[in-house]
Each structure stands twice: as structure tokens, then as C-alpha cells.
Amino acid sequence: MSIHDCACIVGAYEHPLRRAPHHSVAQLHGEVAKGVLADAGLNKDDIDGYFCSGDAPGMGPTSMVEYLNLRPRHVDSTDLGGASYLSLVSHAAQAIAAGKCNVALITLAGRPYSEGVATGTTPRVRDPSQPDFQWEYPYGIANANGYAMCAQRHMHQYGTTSAQLAWIKVAASHHAQHNPHALLRQVLTVEDVLASPMVADPLHRLDCCVVTDGGGALIVARPEIARSLRRPVVRIRGAGETVKHQSGGTFDLTHSGARLSGAQAFAQAKLTPADIQYASIYDSFTITVLIQLEDLGFCAPGQGGAFVADGNLISGVGKLPFNTDGGGLCNNHPANRGGMTKVIEAVRQLRGEAHPAVQVPNCSLALAQGTGGMLATRHGSATLILERE
């Protein structure tokens, strides 16, 4: 039996705020922790494992365990950027299988909007001791122009068009209109996306994710505990993670680490992409989604443009409903580790708790994919395959 058969997701909660100027990051962590405990029907004293990532203030688990007044037997603070929280779900399952804990709390929170963080257009300040810092920072690489390089290369190599990329934003907007908490709820057209200002050629403003405050939380527990809570049981069927980097200069901008992490997850789950009914795909930019869809095997390399066109990602219309909460492109992106919300919406779909307008009928298998870092340089990738029991 796979170790991931030893744990289930029993709680999922997303903070309703998109603007939180009067909250601290720690307070947001506390509020999502309270929300997910209520969702699962558990109390604070049931938690014996705590997991967070680099968004947590202070010394990560050391600070947050005291702030939340927990008494864990096991903690983890893996940081893979936007892949972190998918990786932490897998790590929680592994810890439970190893007997390190029984009920694991995982929290994310951030205030990039209130803190004035320009996550896409400003070069990130990094530790000068990082081995990559001295070579890249002088050239002003930022998220937007780094991802734009990937888009340009994909267009050159495969003939992908800006209009095809725009369909990804259009699909997200069709879903976000039904989410009362989404930052952008206006239904968009391909023409709207193409008419928005150019940020980094070929990416327009509407090819980019939103910047918000907020957070989310999950609880992972032993199956026997999950079945005692009278909530739909969501099994962790498969998981994979990796880091893709420049390999000493041998680097292909047209694919991501999802090629490896996805293959690991599908092999562990003994499933194929054709089995997946719903997909949550990390969507920092439209090109991020397209490349990951190819790498996960939903379409062949170079065919992502055709695959996403004409509403193929819209629930009730296309073959692969994606990001039915509106995703990072329209709903929220509360930290540079926004993969948390990808797992939350996948859980909603499997529980049958998504908005009725976007709920996938009889959804029993879902995939969540996270990418953290930059496709153009180095990034973490984590994939989860979840199943309603």
C-alpha cells in the first residue's frame, strides 16, 4: 500500500479577505487555522503535526506553533515557492504513515497587496550569498519578463499565439464570476485580454495573476479519523515533487518540473491524465498554465495552445475544467506560495462543494499542480492526485 493511502484531507478553508490592511500575517495564519478546524469538526488539541512554509513570520514553525498555542510532535517548513503547500500535503501524509503525527495542520497566509509587493514586475531582492544571485540580479530579471521569455520561446518553437494564451484568462474569468470573494469577477473575452497593456512582451496585464492578501489552510489526518468526522473523505492518491534548474546551461524554456513531478504522481496513483475530471493548475501567468498542462500529459508538447482554445478549460463547456474558483488569475494570490488554494478548490470539487455553476458532476478524481520560483530559471514543482472515497 502506498504511504499516501495512509492519509486523507479532512479540512479545507480559504480566507475570504482579498484586502487585509489591518491584519498581520500571523493573524491571518491564526484565522485560517480556526476556519479549517471548524470545517473539519476538530479542535486545536487534536493537532499533533504542524506544517508551514516561507510565508510564515518569524522562525516559521517555531514562531507559529507558539502563536497558535499548538503542541505538535512533528513540524515541517519546506519551501518550494508556489509548490510548497502541495509538497507539504505529501509530507504530512508521509509523516502520518511513519507514525510521526495523526492530525496535521497546514497554514498559508500573506499580505503582498497591503505590503505593496510588485510580485511580477520588480526584481526580487535576494540573499547575496545565493549562488545564482550575482549572475542574474544585475540584469533585472523579474517574474514577468522571465515568464515572458518562456512564452516567446513557446511561440517561436510551436507557433503558440497570444490569443490562445488569452483563453486561459477567459476560462478563469468565467469561473470567477460565481465566486463572491474573487478579486476580478468580470467575464472577459480574448479581445479584452489582448487589449490590456503589454507588461512584458508577449504577456499582457490580463495574462498575469492578481496580487491579494489572504490565506488558506488544510488538515490531513489518518483515514480512520477522517471517516469518523462525517465529512466527505478525500484520499491522497498520488504525489510527486522535484526542482528544475538550468543544469549548467542545458535548459529548455518550454517545459517545467511538472514533467517529472506529474509522472511521479500518476505512477503512484496508477492513473493517467485521461482519468482526471478536474485540474487545479498554478496560474501565475497564462503561459504557466499552458506549459504545465503539456508537461502533465493532458496534451502533447506544443499542443497546449490548441488544447486551451475555444473554452476547453471552462467547466460545463470544455474537456478539462480548471481553477473553478477563478485561480490566481482572477480569484486570489495571497503569497508567492499560492499553491495552497489549488488544493483547496480541488477538495471542494471532490466534496461536491464548489459553486453549482462550476461544480463538475460526480467528480471523484482531481489533480492539483503547483510551481514555485520561475520557469525561466529554477523552480520547484509538486503534483497531487486526490480522490473522493
Side-chain angles (χ1 to χ4, degrees), residues 232-279:
V233 176
V234 176
R235 297 173 56 220
I236 301 166
R237 182 79 181 264
E241 63 184 77
T242 191
V243 172
K244 186 192 173 197
H245 53 85
Q246 297 192 53
S247 303
T250 306
F251 194 68
D252 184 346
L253 290 170
T254 66
H255 76 85
S256 71
R259 184 174 290 186
L260 180 57
S261 66
Q264 293 172 350
F266 278 115
Q268 187 175 73
K270 297 181 173 58
L271 296 169
T272 70
D275 297 312
I276 300 300
Q277 298 163 286
Y278 166 78

Side-chain angles (χ1 to χ4, degrees), residues 167-183:
W167 270 107
I168 298 170
K169 183 77 166 195
V170 170
S173 75
H174 273 264
H175 299 149
Q177 68 174 315
H178 304 294
N179 182 351
H181 303 302
L183 185 70

Side-chain angles (χ1 to χ4, degrees), residues 206-218:
L206 291 179
D207 284 297
C208 308
C209 71
V210 298
V211 178
T212 71
D213 303 330
L218 297 160

